[in-house]
Amino acid sequence: MLVATTNEIPGYQITQTLGVVRGVTVRSRSALGNIGASIQSFFGGNISIYTRLAEHARQEAYDLLVAHATEMGANAILAMRYDANEIMEGITEVLAYGTAVKVEPIA
């Protein structure tokens, strides 16, 4: 699956646009994670516990996005983006979305 944040992929032409695709995951922080993050924040710098949580949530949303596009018969996703919203304190929705297309190399 080709995935691009652009509206086209150099060297490929769009043969069919299939529609919007998305992958959504909702994550919460654990109590132990919050304690560990509090300790890390006391010393400053990167809070690796939250970094790993954010990366895991984005990867899961991305994987669901690709699965959705594959189910639609796409071989590429264009204009891919991430979005995140806090649903309630400590619970965050991460959304990956884009446009599912079929592309072929330009001869």
Side-chain angles (χ1 to χ4, degrees):
M1 178 74 60
L2 295 170
V3 180
T5 58
T6 56
N7 293 327
E8 53 189 41
I9 301 172
Y12 289 83
Q13 66 181 9
I14 298 168
T15 59
Q16 187 177 3
T17 300
L18 301 171
V20 174
V21 286
R22 71 220 166 281
V24 180
T25 187
V26 177
R27 292 285 177 183
S28 67
R29 301 181 303 243
S30 71
L32 289 176
N34 284 337
I35 292 168
S38 295
I39 293 168
Q40 282 185 324
S41 68
F42 180 75
F43 295 103
N46 181 34
I47 303 174
S48 61
I49 292 169
Y50 288 156
T51 301
R52 282 192 302 275
L53 177 65
E55 183 56 39
H56 187 269
R58 285 185 176 169
Q59 185 63 53
E60 186 173 356
Y62 178 88
D63 292 343
L64 291 167
L65 168 74
V66 170
H68 187 200
T70 300
E71 289 170 11
M72 293 179 72
N75 64 354
I77 300 169
L78 301 179
M80 186 271 181
R81 303 284 188 272
Y82 286 108
D83 195 6
N85 298 295
E86 190 171 55
I87 294 173
M88 60 185 293
E89 188 171 335
I91 299 178
T92 303
E93 166 204 40
V94 177
L95 168 67
Y97 62 96
T99 303
V101 297
K102 289 186 180 184
V103 297
E104 60 185 36
I106 296 172

